[in-house]
Amino acid sequence: MESSDAATLLIELAEKMGLLAAAALVAVLIPPLRNRLLGVGRRRDKLAAVVLGLGLAAWGAMLGFHVGGEHINVRAIGVLIAAILGGWKAGALAGLGGGLFYSALVDAETAPWVLAASITDGVLAGIVAQRRPRWFTGWRVFVTSIGIQAIHLVVVGVGLIAVGHAARYVPAWPAHLVKLVVVASGVTLFVTVARLVVSREEQAIALVEARAAADTAALESLR
């Protein structure tokens, strides 16, 4: 892949990533959805995380396009977001649903491996989010997302090579690497903004509680 082709691919994927990230961020900015997805004032709703992840994964698959015979898309953003918000079970369900949807867009030889890779994305991201939450904070979000997507590429690549159908996939690795960076950027953007939203909500709640405590203390002193 020439540098000009890589730049064009990066721009196109970034545009599609922006659409998915914007949709995810709108969801966490709407109070009822925000409370369910981020656990503000209540426990997180894992079903809501699965639904959001499935929707984003399906949309990301539909926004994909072919590069050298390979279908390049950003559906993994939805799978990873579902896993981060709802844990490995939510990630697995989003990966399963998104993988099945995407399988209809690719050939029969590729479908089983992309399905397995999508489920792997969700399970790994969910386990990391639950057991190593720090890995999804700050700059670590980008690195962790890169690592999970790298395993995704290995699963698909090894599977296709094993059955002798890697003629398209291997030459398209540069395009997949560009996709990996774009997906990681989208997940990082979502997590960063979501944490800011949670932080502001927690500060607002703390302020209300502090004022209530001050009012109570003032009443007690009057009594």
Side-chain angles (χ1 to χ4, degrees), residues 57-183:
W59 190 17
M62 291 175 63
L63 290 174
F65 51 91
H66 287 85
V67 176
E70 276 294 294
H71 193 270
I72 306 298
N73 64 88
V74 291
R75 77 183 186 284
I77 292 176
V79 178
L80 295 181
I81 287 176
I84 292 170
L85 294 176
W88 72 268
K89 292 181 181 179
L93 288 173
L96 174 62
L100 287 173
F101 184 89
Y102 177 61
S103 295
L105 304 177
V106 296
D107 54 76
E109 290 82 9
T110 307
W113 308 110
V114 298
L115 176 59
S118 291
I119 297 173
T120 301
D121 283 346
V123 172
L124 286 179
I127 291 174
V128 172
Q130 290 175 327
R131 298 185 180 180
R132 295 288 188 274
R134 288 188 59 196
W135 290 12
F136 277 116
T137 59
W139 58 269
R140 298 180 186 86
V141 181
F142 184 82
V143 176
T144 303
S145 299
I146 288 282
I148 292 171
Q149 284 293 284
I151 295 173
H152 172 118
L153 294 181
V154 170
V155 170
V156 177
V158 169
L160 291 177
I161 291 172
V163 297
H165 293 290
R168 294 194 323 267
Y169 188 80
V170 174
W173 267 70
H176 285 288
L177 292 177
V178 173
K179 176 191 71 175
L180 182 149
V181 172
V182 172
V183 167

Side-chain angles (χ1 to χ4, degrees), residues 2 4 23 33-34 36 39 46 51 56 58-59 91 94 101 110 120 124 129 133 139 147-148 174 181 184 187 214:
E2 296 180 359
S4 59
L33 288 176
R34 176 183 66 225
R36 287 178 175 274
K46 295 182 179 181
V51 172
L56 293 175
W59 190 17
F101 184 89
T110 307
T120 301
L124 286 179
W139 58 269
I148 292 171
V181 172
V187 175

